[in-house]
Amino acid sequence: MKNEYKIAIIAIILIIIGGTILSSGSGGSERIDIVGSTSVQPVAEKLVEEYKINHPDANINVQGGGSSVGIKSVQDGSADIGTSSKELDDNEKQDLKEYELGKDGIVLAVNVNNDVSDLTKDQLKDIFSGKITNWKEVGGNDAEIHVVSREAGSGTLDAFESIVMGETKIKSDAIVQSSTEAVKQSVKQDENAIGFVSFAHMSDDVKSLSVEGIAPSSESIADGSYELQRPFLFLVKGEPSGDLKEFIDWVNGSEARKVLDGEKIVKSNK
């Protein structure tokens, strides 16, 4: 009996050890770090929130920092997914695989009390470079224009400079903010301010301007008639695998598309 008892005890111990090993090997999810554009950040957070409904063990962390930080972080391996709100140049692409979430418009935001409703791209360039300094020069009140811009490394800034400014520099004394929300707050609090913000994060507390007679909307961004637009990108180095691949595959599917539509990220129909 003693031998049988010892064998039973050993068997129980082995079962316990084996179960512990199995649970430790299968219960934890790989950590996925998403880093980059502050414009993409809230959208990424929404995607992760929805993903976790059916993947409650998913270990996904989302941070901002700017598009340049996102590109660098995924290149050097400190992030699994980099996010960018600008097109990548050839040097930035390297071994990166791009997944486009959709298009986002860049909206020119002014205070709700501003009478100006439409500007041309040339007028925008002149305003942001400091050539035009008073709202009366573009049909508004006799008041100094207060230009609000974004920090270096911002994908929104890069896209605005590429589409509107070209080789012309934004005026050196422009107010610089570090996020779309901060730009909106500046414009909301200052009747004479103008700034550029993400269409995905526009709200009724500021006023959007038409550009070249075209108002920013899901339709005008989708068909390309509203020219001030850029992509929202997820960037991965090499081919994704494991939990990362599972998440990326989900992001490219129909469930994620519903989230993106709700966040005003436009699927191009051009």
Side-chain angles (χ1 to χ4, degrees):
M1 277 300 282
K2 287 185 177 179
N3 286 337
E4 290 175 359
Y5 181 75
K6 288 180 180 178
I7 291 170
I9 294 295
I10 291 170
I12 291 170
I13 292 171
L14 289 174
I15 289 169
I16 292 171
I17 292 172
T20 302
I21 292 170
L22 285 172
S23 64
S24 64
S26 60
S29 294
E30 301 166 13
R31 179 185 171 94
I32 297 172
D33 287 313
I34 303 175
V35 178
S37 166
T38 58
S39 296
V40 180
Q41 183 180 357
V43 179
E45 289 171 347
K46 285 285 187 181
L47 288 169
V48 171
E49 181 183 328
E50 186 70 20
Y51 182 72
K52 284 186 174 182
I53 292 174
N54 292 318
H55 302 80
D57 295 329
N59 184 8
I60 307 175
N61 176 55
V62 183
Q63 300 176 48
S67 293
S68 295
V69 171
I71 295 166
K72 182 179 182 298
S73 296
V74 74
Q75 284 174 341
D76 65 21
S78 58
D80 304 286
I81 298 174
T83 59
S84 176
S85 54
K86 73 179 189 72
E87 298 278 4
L88 273 62
D89 61 36
D90 290 339
N91 290 331
E92 291 171 329
K93 287 182 178 180
Q94 296 182 7
D95 300 325
L96 301 187
K97 192 173 180 63
E98 299 179 27
Y99 300 90
E100 184 175 295
L101 304 180
K103 301 290 186 184
D104 178 51
I106 300 173
V107 178
L108 274 303
V110 295
N111 188 274
V112 292
N113 295 319
N114 194 315
D115 291 332
V116 174
S117 296
D118 185 26
L119 293 171
T120 67
K121 284 169 67 177
D122 284 342
Q123 286 174 324
L124 288 173
K125 181 189 289 187
D126 288 347
I127 287 170
F128 277 83
S129 67
K131 188 175 180 181
I132 292 176
T133 59
N134 194 298
W135 282 111
K136 70 180 180 180
E137 297 177 70
V138 290
N141 294 328
D142 184 3
E144 181 184 0
I145 298 173
H146 301 153
V147 171
V148 184
S149 186
R150 286 289 305 277
E151 81 288 1
S154 158
T156 313
L157 172 63
D158 286 348
F160 181 80
E161 287 179 329
S162 174
I163 298 167
V164 174
M165 303 304 294
E167 298 301 315
T168 304
K169 300 295 184 183
I170 292 176
K171 58 186 296 188
S172 59
D173 61 348
I175 300 163
V176 177
Q177 297 289 10
S178 60
S179 70
T180 280
E181 289 303 318
V183 173
K184 282 169 57 181
Q185 284 301 311
S186 290
V187 172
K188 180 181 176 181
Q189 295 166 10
D190 183 353
E191 290 193 3
N192 298 313
I194 181 172
F196 46 86
V197 301
S198 167
F199 174 74
H201 307 304
M202 270 298 289
S203 50
D204 293 338
D205 52 353
V206 292
K207 173 182 171 181
S208 62
L209 299 182
S210 295
V211 178
E212 304 286 356
I214 305 294
S217 68
S218 296
E219 294 73 24
S220 62
I221 294 168
D223 65 22
S225 57
Y226 184 77
E227 296 181 40
L228 276 65
Q229 57 176 270
R230 41 61 183 287
F232 271 12
L233 301 172
F234 270 11
L235 309 169
V236 176
K237 190 168 185 177
E239 285 294 329
S241 61
D243 289 349
L244 178 59
K245 182 180 188 305
E246 187 174 353
F247 176 63
I248 289 292
D249 288 346
W250 181 88
V251 166
N252 288 321
S254 58
E255 287 183 61
R257 185 67 254 168
K258 292 175 185 176
V259 177
L260 294 169
D261 289 343
E263 293 299 301
K264 298 193 291 188
I265 307 304
V266 180
K267 187 175 183 179
S268 176
N269 61 17
K270 289 197 294 179

